[in-house]
């Protein structure tokens, strides 16, 4: 009888991929894995992601984190497009490789009715030392 | 006689614009103003900056802030390309207009020998309510 | 007819001081000024605020910022005790003086129905170079 | 032959406890565990840590995180007292229990020559859902 029972069903990975293609049309991110309160996304690295010196640009890393958080949250609450990023804190830790995809591994730390908080470790594929770390917060619209 | 006297000369706005074009070739930011410990940059908003619903994507806002901080710092210390972003914290405050340029107004709060910290208020042109606020920190390479 | 008309009245500075004394009984902060979307608070500095080397401890600075944000928000929305800090980001900029009070000068950047965001510059009294800068976010309980 | 060989020896947990008692004399934190790039600290919760409503005050949580990061860093680099916090970002996730100690579990993500970055999950003892999460950055003085 409560509102919680009217939550949208959990989307499949394919449904989330469709949503991403619509909602972030400029993004090249793909969903690598989806789990309970977690998600991994991948971003290819080519000319348009690099800065002189062969490093991946900061905004690409922030985009990967934002998408990973989005996917992890919507994987839990269903496709609620009005869920919006309210803050994002990134620390750049190491120089990313210029010839490796970026992987973003997200874990949610809180999933409340109106606020979700998660962290993302970003890696150059093949390394287990993160290139950056992100904490993001999201506002979930209330159903009323 | 001190190292400080060997600092590179302050670049002109045109020299900084040349540097940006080389260092951030994908960026569409232009320098609007340059002052003591401050800078304003502009980013046009078109199809490729928008998300469904007509809002400017988060990564565009983060890029504007990053560039504004970069310009303000290099305007003080000279063109030191190895200056790198170490952290960036963004709070999204209001929905940006989909048909207005984004302006990023940066003020430096600290300019030490190895660390600079600044803040950026981001606006849709024509409004004086910020759409987002950023604090960024940068590592400046030591001259030795 | 709308809920907005039932908002609590704006408290006076004296009412906010009473609230602080009850809500933050361990805090030594006093309210220095209260304005539209802004507040200034003061914290004395003595033995128990200092760390070896004569610098003010980080947690004291964070407390001052938290109280300044609280006061600025409640000065606008009325005394809503369930308003809670959801995040706080502090950058330490300079060594505070060991023999001066700390002043926290807060400006709100957003005051929505459920979320408030503000920034605080922290000073050693008598200096106009900030010792630290804080951005804080607060969740405001909905009236329903 | 390199400077790295002149690094101070890794301190024992007892040496770090002595250092804390001197450097953070107001703090009630104790070191629970010390590992490679990691540390756990404990803070008792009594009247002076509580706010009305029976929740642990935010500054106590920030103190625990700051101490945990300090201990994890100094456990790696030796007791370098001039290591200073440069930023701290905390997200409050859940209401802490009023009758349980707070535990801070820290992992370092980067330990460079001049900058260390780590994260801390904070728990009410006995629960495995964190009450808060912190990312902190520290400047390490150069040996020259």
């Amino acid at each position: 009888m409560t509102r919680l029972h009217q939550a949208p069903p959990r989307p499949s990975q394919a449904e989330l991929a469709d949503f991403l293609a619509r909602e972030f049309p400029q993004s090249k991110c793909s969903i690598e894995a989806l789990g309970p309160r977690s998600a991994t996304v991948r971003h290819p690295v080519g000319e348009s992601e690099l800065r002189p010196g062969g490093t991946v640009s900061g905004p690409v890393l922030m985009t990967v984190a934002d998408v990973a958080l989005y996917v992890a949250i919507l994987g839990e609450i269903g496709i609620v497009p009005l869920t919006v990023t309210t803050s994002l804190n990134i620390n750049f830790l190491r120089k990313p490789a210029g010839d490796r995809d970026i992987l973003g591994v997200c874990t949610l730390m809180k999933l409340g009715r109106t606020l979700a908080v998660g962290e993302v470790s970003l890696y150059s594929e093949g390394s287990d030392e993160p290139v950056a770390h992100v904490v993001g917060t999201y506002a979930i619209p209330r159903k009323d």
Side-chain angles (χ1 to χ4, degrees), chain A residues 8-12 15-16 19 22 74-75 77-83:
Chain A
R10 283 162 158 266
S12 68
E15 286 166 333
L16 278 168
F19 172 74
R22 286 195 312 272
L74 300 191
I77 68 170
I79 291 179
V80 182
L82 291 178
T83 300

Side-chain angles (χ1 to χ4, degrees), chain A residues 2 5 8 13 26 41 65 70-71 73 79 89 103 107 120 143:
Chain A
T2 74
H5 293 145
Q13 190 171 322
Q26 303 94 348
V41 305
Y70 228 77
V71 168
I73 293 168
I79 291 179
N89 182 249
L103 295 174
T107 309
V120 183
K143 307 183 228 24

Side-chain angles (χ1 to χ4, degrees), chain A residues 26-107:
Chain A
Q26 303 94 348
S27 160
K28 301 173 183 168
C29 281
S30 57
I31 304 173
E32 195 76 5
L34 185 64
R37 294 193 168 209
S38 62
T40 300
V41 305
R42 172 189 294 270
H43 196 294
V45 169
E47 269 313 302
S48 58
E49 281 76 29
L50 295 179
R51 279 185 49 188
T55 190
V56 179
S57 81
V60 169
L61 299 177
M62 295 185 242
T63 301
V64 176
D66 197 28
V67 171
L69 283 154
Y70 228 77
V71 168
I73 293 168
L74 300 191
E76 290 291 332
I77 68 170
I79 291 179
V80 182
L82 291 178
T83 300
V84 293
T85 316
T86 47
S87 74
L88 191 148
N89 182 249
I90 186 165
N91 279 273
F92 298 95
L93 302 172
R94 291 170 189 85
K95 192 182 162 179
D99 56 357
R100 298 298 183 104
D101 286 3
I102 293 290
L103 295 174
V105 181
C106 173
T107 309

Side-chain angles (χ1 to χ4, degrees), chain A residues 103-114:
Chain A
L103 295 174
V105 181
C106 173
T107 309
L108 299 183
M109 297 186 285
K110 178 193 169 100
L111 188 60
R113 274 175 313 143
T114 60

